[in-house]
Amino acid sequence: MPNVLIISGHPALSQSVANRAILEEIGKALPQAQIRRLDSLYPDFRIDVPAEQQALVWADIIVWQFPLYWYSAPALMRKWLEDSFTHGSKGTALHGKKLILSFTAGAPEAAYTHEGFMGKTMEEVMAPFAVTAKLTGMQLQPLVYSAGISFVPGDADPERLAAARAIAQNHARRLLAAIEKAA
Ligand SMILES: Cc1cc2nc3c(=O)[nH]c(=O)nc-3n(C[C@H](O)[C@H](O)[C@H](O)COP(=O)(O)O)c2cc1C
């Protein structure tokens, strides 16, 4: 099995439903994967760049697991990216590695179409990451995402919570399949 690195970009997993559930499922199914929870590692946003670069070099398959915030990754994950990817197009350390973008979004699936509210598909929204993968020599895999999953912390409605968990479990299954395909 190749080395699987999962970077969790959620800024507060303790308040997460979807990302936390996805990470739990993946952790159980792939105990040998390295899961780096940026919110607990770097609550002060001070990224340990050598440690992150070491993890990236070790990995064959890199998963970015995050909630979609303003059509991008949360600030913590962007900080991780800006600090760790120091060599730009001159670097070779990431060449040939597989990158899987695995994320959750609050707006419904139908919003992410040309006819829908956003007027853009998820592939179009993720264009900056696709170019990042290309520039750094990584092979971007098909997106794994779940739309329409937004559970506000403190919401006590058990049906909404159960629905969010079910979407997260389905997401985890698709992510596992994507990892297996990339292996
Ligand atoms: C600051 C912020 C920005 C968000 N921006 C978007 C967005 O651009 N598009 C979208 O569909 N959902 C957006 N959402 C909804 C989140 O993507 C959604 O709540 C999250 O994926 C649920 O995952 P979690 O339970 O792990 O927190 C946003 C939520 C927050 C808090």
Side-chain angles (χ1 to χ4, degrees):
M1 183 72 182
N3 293 338
V4 180
L5 172 67
I6 296 164
I7 303 292
S8 163
H10 198 293
L13 274 175
S14 59
Q15 290 170 40
S16 154
V17 171
N19 282 263
R20 190 169 63 185
I22 292 165
L23 288 167
E24 273 170 21
E25 296 287 326
I26 298 298
K28 274 190 268 171
L30 292 179
Q32 71 280 26
Q34 181 181 172
I35 303 181
R36 298 183 70 80
R37 294 175 173 79
L38 299 185
D39 67 331
S40 49
L41 284 169
Y42 308 117
D44 55 2
F45 275 53
R46 286 158 62 104
I47 310 292
D48 181 342
V49 174
E52 295 308 318
Q53 290 181 338
Q54 199 181 6
L56 286 163
V57 167
W58 167 85
D60 302 303
I61 299 172
I62 299 165
V63 178
W64 293 353
Q65 177 62 52
F66 59 95
L68 189 68
Y69 279 9
W70 291 110
Y71 313 103
S72 187
L76 176 60
M77 184 158 229
R78 294 211 51 93
K79 178 78 164 52
W80 170 87
L81 176 62
E82 289 167 21
D83 287 4
S84 309
F85 282 40
T86 44
H87 299 292
S89 59
K90 293 188 193 75
T92 55
L94 298 174
H95 281 187
K97 295 179 189 292
K98 311 268 176 71
L99 176 65
I100 300 175
L101 302 181
S102 170
F103 57 98
T104 57
E109 179 86 48
Y112 289 97
T113 58
H114 290 156
E115 301 72 34
F117 182 80
M118 309 299 179
K120 302 266 181 232
T121 65
M122 272 307 187
E123 281 73 16
E124 288 167 343
V125 172
M126 289 295 135
F129 292 144
V131 190
T132 299
K134 183 160 194 252
L135 186 104
T136 55
M138 290 191 286
Q139 295 167 13
L140 183 64
Q141 308 298 297
L143 302 180
V144 180
Y145 71 91
S146 297
I149 186 162
S150 185
F151 190 81
V152 180
D155 185 342
D157 186 300
E159 267 180 35
R160 278 199 293 274
L161 182 60
R165 288 221 176 99
I167 295 174
Q169 274 170 3
N170 175 282
H171 183 113
R173 277 195 292 277
R174 286 183 285 123
L175 176 55
L176 280 172
I179 291 171
E180 271 164 32
K181 200 161 174 223

